[in-house]
Amino acid sequence: SGAPMLEALATLLCLLAAVAFWLHRSGRVSFGHADLLKINPFGGASSVATDPFSASDGWLPTGLGVELPYDDIEAYEALAEELKGMQRNAPGVQDLHQQCINKLMQRACSSLLAIWKASIEIDRLFRMHRTNRLSTAEWELVEAEFEAFREERLAVSEQASWLRPGWPGGWGESIWHDAHRALMRARQKMLDDGYDPADARVPPAGKLRFSPADRVQCNVGKDGSGGVKWISGTVITSWDLPYKVALDNGSRVTAPQDSDNLIRAAPPDDPGTPAAADLTLWRPYRFKPGDRVACNCGPDGFRAGTVLERNILSDLVPGESTAVAAPPGKKVRAAYAVRLDGPEQRVVLAPMDLPKVVRAATPEDEERSKAESQGAAGAEGGPAVQAEGTQAAEEPSGTAPGTAAGTVAAGSAQGAAGGDEAVAGQEKAASNGTPD
């Protein structure tokens, strides 16, 4: 009868579809939508292997379809190379430095647009991969293409911290936030001028629920009764995840997901951002080489000295010259290198640019230093010895509290191992060239 034949035909079609799916997922054959429609249930599949990034049927991907702003990247790199070749006090260096800052900001804005578009596309392709419409081989090609956008994020942050160093990480901490704000201002102006929001020239709206300065509540774990503990705060950055939020209790947290389970809008009766809240992402260094400061040397209290160098970021190993050196596998990270007064002329590294670690020398500091120098008059000056590092507490740093700072000889320091959490490649770029 007809029913058994229909059942057999349906079974055969299911088997053929299963075989086609297996071939596609394994990467042996890439079937486009049109290819699947050509399958002959009585004669097998008629499709042939195709390039996953050249299919014309509209079902297979054609790559991310987004390019980085290579003209802006090359224009900045040309200026940066010129700046690196100039002496710090050379004529015109300040003007060139400002040109580099402006050009890097332009690069960041253009790259952020490309990163946004590429992120949207890779999310779409990832969903295709999860629903078995994109083979593993095809997805790996997509991921490889997106790697260039990840590298651009790191490169721009690295260059920003080199041009404008500061605490805790220099301009690299906020350049993408600054670019986001610039694009949102440009978007609003274009909409006010009558542009269609769907116009490709109009920057896209932010993809996250909250904007900088929005009041929110963050899930910070469990309270004493085992329930969720929520603390109010103010959004600092929202150009991409994770959110950075300054909590009202003075600490900072990140929210890696835009979910009400982690971050939610503050209630209507929220009192607003406290007047004393610190919403800055970074600040320029307070001191420059030659400034008189006092360093927290632990049991010895604050000791007066002179700033030798700032923005010390290096991953060089002992034996390499012309730079700060570190023990194998470690990195030197510090805000300042300071030569303390006294016959030993020892050098300490101030790991953080905070008043509790290093501050401007007071008249009392100078008097103490003068008295100690006079008391040591006539004594034979010995070689520089390993000194105790300035103390750090509470806030994260590349140098652990109590870490010993090394001696300085011929412009290089040894000792004071730092952490490894900095962006890869940032240390070398930040320690070379004209900006300091």
Side-chain angles (χ1 to χ4, degrees):
S1 65
M5 291 184 61
L6 289 176
E7 290 179 2
L9 180 60
T11 301
L12 179 60
L13 288 174
C14 289
L15 289 173
L16 290 172
V19 171
F21 165 75
W22 178 78
L23 290 172
H24 179 69
R25 282 292 284 169
S26 64
R28 289 174 170 79
V29 177
S30 294
F31 290 107
H33 182 63
D35 295 324
L36 291 176
L37 294 179
K38 296 176 184 177
I39 292 179
N40 181 352
F42 300 101
S46 59
S47 61
V48 295
T50 59
D51 180 355
F53 290 104
S54 63
S56 59
D57 62 1
W59 190 73
L60 287 179
T62 57
L64 293 174
V66 183
E67 286 192 352
L68 288 168
Y70 292 110
D71 289 344
D72 288 338
I73 293 173
E74 293 173 0
Y76 166 75
E77 290 179 346
L79 285 177
E81 285 300 317
E82 183 179 353
L83 181 63
K84 291 176 183 178
M86 298 181 69
Q87 295 296 322
R88 182 171 298 169
N89 298 320
V93 69
Q94 294 300 326
D95 289 341
L96 183 57
H97 182 230
Q98 187 60 50
Q99 290 180 42
C100 284
I101 290 174
N102 297 340
K103 187 61 68 174
L104 185 62
M105 186 63 186
Q106 179 180 335
R107 169 181 172 179
C109 289
S110 301
S111 292
L112 182 54
L113 280 174
I115 290 171
W116 274 346
K117 294 176 181 177
S119 298
I120 292 172
E121 187 63 15
I122 199 171
D123 287 345
R124 183 184 71 83
L125 294 173
F126 178 70
R127 289 192 297 270
M128 290 180 63
H129 176 56
R130 290 292 300 271
T131 55
N132 302 321
R133 292 182 293 161
L134 200 67
S135 72
T136 300
E138 291 165 347
W139 172 246
E140 289 175 351
L141 291 174
V142 170
E143 283 192 306
E145 185 178 357
F146 190 72
E147 185 62 28
F149 296 88
R150 296 191 182 101
E151 292 175 355
E152 174 66 0
R153 286 180 59 164
L154 296 180
V156 169
S157 296
E158 169 190 311
Q159 291 300 304
S161 292
W162 171 65
L163 287 171
R164 299 176 66 187
W167 173 257
W171 190 27
E173 294 290 324
S174 72
I175 185 169
W176 293 111
H177 169 69
D178 297 342
H180 176 225
R181 293 200 308 171
L183 288 175
M184 291 303 96
R185 288 195 298 267
R187 172 185 170 82
Q188 189 58 52
K189 185 178 185 305
M190 295 179 75
L191 295 179
D192 292 343
D193 291 343
Y195 281 83
D196 187 335
D199 192 316
R201 294 169 294 179
V202 177
K207 59 182 181 179
L208 302 181
R209 291 180 297 156
F210 303 112
S211 300
D214 282 354
R215 292 289 292 169
V216 296
Q217 289 184 328
C218 293
N219 179 346
V220 295
K222 301 292 184 180
D223 58 18
S225 62
V228 177
K229 183 178 181 180
W230 295 91
I231 297 182
S232 297
T234 303
V235 175
I236 304 176
T237 65
S238 64
W239 72 273
D240 196 6
L241 291 174
Y243 286 109
K244 291 184 180 180
V245 181
L247 299 181
D248 292 352
N249 63 7
S251 61
R252 293 189 175 187
V253 296
T254 58
Q257 296 179 2
D258 193 10
S259 165
D260 275 340
N261 293 328
L262 296 179
I263 181 172
R264 66 188 185 187
D269 60 348
D270 180 79
T273 302
D278 181 9
L279 304 182
T280 58
L281 287 167
W282 74 286
R283 56 179 60 87
Y285 286 123
R286 294 174 295 152
F287 307 113
K288 62 182 184 299
D291 284 352
R292 293 288 294 169
V293 297
C295 292
N296 180 355
C297 293
D300 293 337
F302 278 86
R303 304 294 301 275
T306 303
V307 176
L308 294 178
E309 187 180 353
R310 66 183 184 181
N311 195 39
I312 300 170
L313 301 166
S314 177
D315 57 0
L316 300 180
V317 297
E320 295 181 305
S321 60
T322 71
V324 178
K330 297 293 183 180
K331 295 180 180 181
V332 170
R333 301 189 65 222
Y336 304 102
V338 179
R339 186 185 298 279
L340 300 181
D341 297 342
E344 291 181 345
Q345 293 288 289
R346 60 180 182 167
V347 171
V348 294
L349 298 179
M352 297 180 289
D353 188 16
L354 297 174
K356 63 185 176 184
V357 177
V358 57
R359 55 173 169 77
T362 64
E364 291 77 11
D365 295 327
E366 298 289 7
E367 285 296 327
R368 175 187 176 185
S369 177
K370 182 178 180 181
E372 291 177 347
S373 296
Q374 291 175 346
E380 181 180 358
V385 297
Q386 194 173 38
E388 181 181 3
T390 55
Q391 303 299 300
E394 299 180 5
E395 300 204 22
S397 164
T399 305
T403 303
T407 61
V408 166
S412 65
Q414 289 186 342
D420 297 331
E421 72 276 12
V423 172
Q426 180 173 324
E427 288 77 9
K428 290 184 179 179
S431 63
N432 296 326
T434 301
D436 64 352

